[in-house]
Amino acid sequence: MLTVALPKGELLKNSIRLLQSVGLDFSGFLDSGNRQLQILDASGQAKGLLVRAQDVPVYVEYGQAQLGMVGYDVLKEKRPQVAQMVDLQYGYCRMSVAVKADSTYKSPLDLPAHGRVASKYVNCAREYFQSLDLPVEIVPLYGSVELGPITGMSEAIVDIVSTGKTLRENGLVEIATLYESTARLIVHPLSYRLNMGNLQTLVEKLRAEV
Ligand code: PRP
């Protein structure tokens, strides 16, 4: 039986809708009272795992799930050994550098050498500033990174921007975009090659729905 790793949060609704379009129903994960982390689809053809978005590639890499839906931002940060099969188009966001709106930094190159940049995406941030040849200290945070510049802990942040509301409401502005991100369909490479549970056909059906 195939197992699908589904991401909690922003991508969950669209991922469930997409799977429904190919006959796999995991809508039980959307019930507010549901606390089950593993459910069978209504037809009993596949199993769904409900995991943190960052953990989707982990389950797929280790083969406990043969496929999953996850943001490109997570793949870029974690570089898991999985195969990216389809750009699913939903879940658009961008990875940006942001600073306080009243600061004098108009571009990342204006940031002071050895200044601080707070981020949940430390690898993406480090790689970006290395590409600019600007030595900065990356301060790892787990969330609410906007507080970095607000409190004065960091000059800037590298973070996901979707609607832009969080930046606006916290008095920050974007000064550069590292890359854009959408949800991707990923598979366990060996399971795909062996066509486990007819995985190749399922991927083609999902591709056709996008
Ligand atoms: C993400 C991101 C921003 C916000 C951007 O945070 O880190 O804070 O969403 O969305 P917006 O542009 O639509 O306002 P998330 O909701 O994942 O919370 P977290 O900071 O606690 O991780």
Side-chain angles (χ1 to χ4, degrees), residues 46-57:
K47 198 163 64 179
L49 307 178
L50 184 63
V51 303
R52 287 285 293 265
Q54 291 87 341
D55 296 334
V56 167

Side-chain angles (χ1 to χ4, degrees), residues 120-121 142-146 159-167:
K120 288 186 279 191
Y121 294 81
Y142 289 98
S144 304
V145 291
E146 293 81 5
D159 198 21
I160 287 295
V161 180
S162 178
T163 60
K165 191 166 187 279
T166 310
L167 289 184

